[in-house]
Amino acid sequence: MTHDSIKIQERKAAEAEAVKKLDTVAAYYNLAAVSDPSVIQYTGFTPNAPRKGDPALLMPQGVAIYQGPVSGSAAITVNPLPGVILWELKVGEGDLSIESNWRPHVFNAGETMVVHGLTVDREHGFRVRGHNRSGAGPWSPPVTFFLK
């Protein structure tokens, strides 16, 4: 390989990594725009239109909840989904049929999902959905877990 071809490969790898990180940032802004659409306007981002090649996200499968590393915490796992760049997790406490009882959390795909500050000796509900560059997929059914 020549010196130029090595530099080209390095530049393409750096560009791909930058695009991946910017896609994650854009996904956070799109997630914020769900509750406040004006957030997109004042950040300079434009709403994402579906892109060719972006898979339609399916409902997450294999959502599992475990006792977290410290009291009042829970660890959450979900089977990987192609195209997901971040996970939106909601944790509910009390009457799970009331939307205001659910608190949002966001994790990058591949990041360990651990939620702290939960009430011990109480049942909590957990639901998750994936986001890609085109937006959010469907929510998983709620999974309940009694926190110790």
Side-chain angles (χ1 to χ4, degrees):
M1 253 189 207
T2 67
H3 179 68
D4 287 342
S5 61
I6 292 171
K7 288 289 186 187
I8 290 169
Q9 280 183 332
E10 289 172 351
R11 186 175 63 235
K12 285 182 178 180
E15 180 182 339
E17 185 63 28
V19 166
K20 183 178 176 184
K21 288 181 180 183
L22 288 172
D23 279 345
T24 300
V25 170
Y28 278 107
Y29 281 117
N30 282 328
L31 182 59
V34 169
S35 61
D36 181 8
S38 67
V39 91
I40 294 293
Q41 295 170 347
Y42 61 78
T43 61
F45 280 91
T46 54
N48 286 334
R51 300 180 188 182
K52 281 190 174 182
D54 277 346
L57 292 175
L58 303 173
M59 183 183 302
Q61 301 293 316
V63 177
I65 316 300
Y66 305 94
Q67 188 66 42
V70 296
S71 180
S73 68
I76 300 91
T77 61
V78 61
N79 292 347
L81 278 177
V84 169
I85 56 177
L86 65 87
W87 294 106
E88 180 181 4
L89 169 73
K90 285 200 174 181
V91 180
E93 188 174 340
D95 185 349
L96 300 181
S97 67
I98 300 173
E99 190 60 34
S100 63
N101 288 345
W102 293 86
R103 293 186 334 221
H105 302 271
V106 178
F107 298 92
N108 290 319
E111 182 180 10
T112 302
M113 293 190 279
V114 177
V115 178
H116 298 276
L118 302 174
T119 306
V120 295
D121 295 327
R122 186 143 192 203
E123 188 172 69
H124 293 76
F126 297 82
R127 62 185 182 195
V128 65
R129 69 179 174 179
H131 287 255
N132 65 11
R133 293 177 293 192
S134 296
W139 285 105
S140 68
V143 174
T144 57
F145 183 77
F146 191 83
L147 200 65
K148 297 178 183 178

